[in-house]
Amino acid sequence: MKKYIILDMEENAPFAACQPRRRGLTDMKDRLTEFLKLAKALGLQAVMPHIILSSKHSTIKKETILIDYIDIPKEFSVLSQLPKNTPSSEIFIFSPECLNFSDTQLYREHKSQIDKIKLYIPYKSKYKLIAEEIVNSLRRPLCTIHVRRGDYLDKRRTLIENTSPENIAKHLANHTCSDIYIMTNEKSKTFFESLRISHGVKQYFDYEPLI
């Protein structure tokens, strides 16, 4: 009889193989949410998968682990690892054939049950407090801009021009902002220097807790 469910994270597994395409924090938190809801629908004990976040989606150079950023609700009991000497007969290995678990056959078979399960995985409170302090320090009206560069520049060539400081300045001319904050995965700290000079743009490295 199956008691535990684990996510197949072997290198040649379909999910692991397609991870490099989308391994950002939000994407992987969504995948974990789907995994835990599936476990509950199947009546199995979930074992926390070791999900690595890609550095391509942020300015952080090293790879980090999903569990370091989130708090799983207590009502969703998750084991950090399988109990010692657990027989294979008690382990169900979930090997999704695609990145979105909700598109897998197993998920679709239990969809009506899964849809009734409510689960929200929050970020750790220490990160939320840092975010609140920074947001509260910025003047209103506040303009925040998400500028996706890095790995996306090769996939969407139009981003090279669209995310240039000159193009962003054109858009800012249509808005009145007391403070402007740019969220970006651009690695160069000087890339937006012209906007920092002309518009007083702020970035993550202006705040000690984010460095």
Side-chain angles (χ1 to χ4, degrees), residues 131-149:
E132 287 173 3
E133 288 178 5
I134 292 173
V135 170
N136 290 337
S137 72
L138 296 167
R139 298 170 299 167
R140 272 53 171 181
L142 170 63
C143 180
T144 59
I145 309 171
H146 181 204
V147 184
R148 183 67 181 272
R149 289 179 56 79

Side-chain angles (χ1 to χ4, degrees), residues 2-211:
K2 304 298 183 184
K3 292 183 180 180
Y4 307 97
I5 181 172
I6 64 175
L7 179 61
D8 190 355
M9 297 294 291
E10 293 298 322
E11 192 174 336
N12 59 348
F15 172 58
C18 66
Q19 269 201 83
R21 291 204 300 257
R22 290 172 59 192
R23 290 198 301 176
L25 176 58
T26 302
D27 283 328
M28 292 299 100
K29 187 164 79 81
D30 289 344
R31 300 296 77 77
L32 179 63
T33 300
E34 292 171 346
F35 174 66
L36 295 183
K37 290 172 73 172
L38 176 62
K40 198 170 186 70
L42 295 174
L44 298 175
Q45 171 66 66
V47 179
M48 182 66 196
H50 185 74
I51 297 178
I52 297 174
L53 303 175
S54 173
S55 59
K56 291 181 180 180
H57 294 257
S58 71
T59 52
I60 299 174
K61 294 180 180 179
K62 64 177 182 178
E63 288 187 326
T64 50
I65 310 302
L66 175 62
I67 194 64
D68 291 341
Y69 293 92
I70 59 175
D71 278 324
I72 298 175
K74 293 180 180 177
E75 59 268 26
F76 279 79
S77 172
V78 181
L79 298 180
S80 59
Q81 58 185 10
L82 281 168
K84 193 174 181 180
N85 300 322
T86 300
S88 59
S89 59
E90 295 183 355
I91 304 170
F92 176 74
I93 300 175
F94 177 47
S95 185
E97 59 270 22
C98 54
L99 185 58
N100 291 321
F101 299 172
S102 57
D103 292 333
T104 63
Q105 183 178 344
L106 182 62
Y107 202 98
R108 290 196 299 267
E109 289 174 358
H110 297 271
K111 189 176 186 307
S112 59
Q113 230 178 320
I114 292 171
D115 286 346
K116 296 175 184 176
I117 299 172
K118 304 298 181 185
L119 171 60
Y120 169 70
I121 300 178
Y123 295 109
K124 288 187 179 293
S125 57
K126 65 178 180 180
Y127 296 119
K128 290 193 288 186
L129 286 172
I130 290 172
E132 287 173 3
E133 288 178 5
I134 292 173
V135 170
N136 290 337
S137 72
L138 296 167
R139 298 170 299 167
R140 272 53 171 181
L142 170 63
C143 180
T144 59
I145 309 171
H146 181 204
V147 184
R148 183 67 181 272
R149 289 179 56 79
D151 57 321
Y152 260 40
L153 293 180
D154 292 329
K155 299 175 183 178
R156 301 179 184 178
R157 303 299 293 175
T158 55
L159 284 179
I160 295 176
E161 180 181 349
N162 292 344
T163 62
S164 68
E166 294 76 18
N167 193 54
I168 293 173
K170 289 179 184 177
H171 286 280
L172 286 174
N174 299 319
H175 302 276
T176 301
C177 307
S178 295
D179 264 329
I180 302 168
Y181 185 93
I182 288 183
M183 300 176 291
T184 182
N185 63 339
E186 169 58 51
K187 302 293 185 182
S188 172
K189 289 185 177 182
T190 60
F191 183 78
F192 298 106
E193 189 61 27
S194 61
L195 290 174
R196 292 172 64 82
I197 294 172
S198 62
H199 291 75
V201 161
K202 293 178 173 59
Q203 293 176 258
Y204 79 94
F205 50 81
D206 290 311
Y207 301 93
E208 179 99 20
L210 300 184
I211 299 176

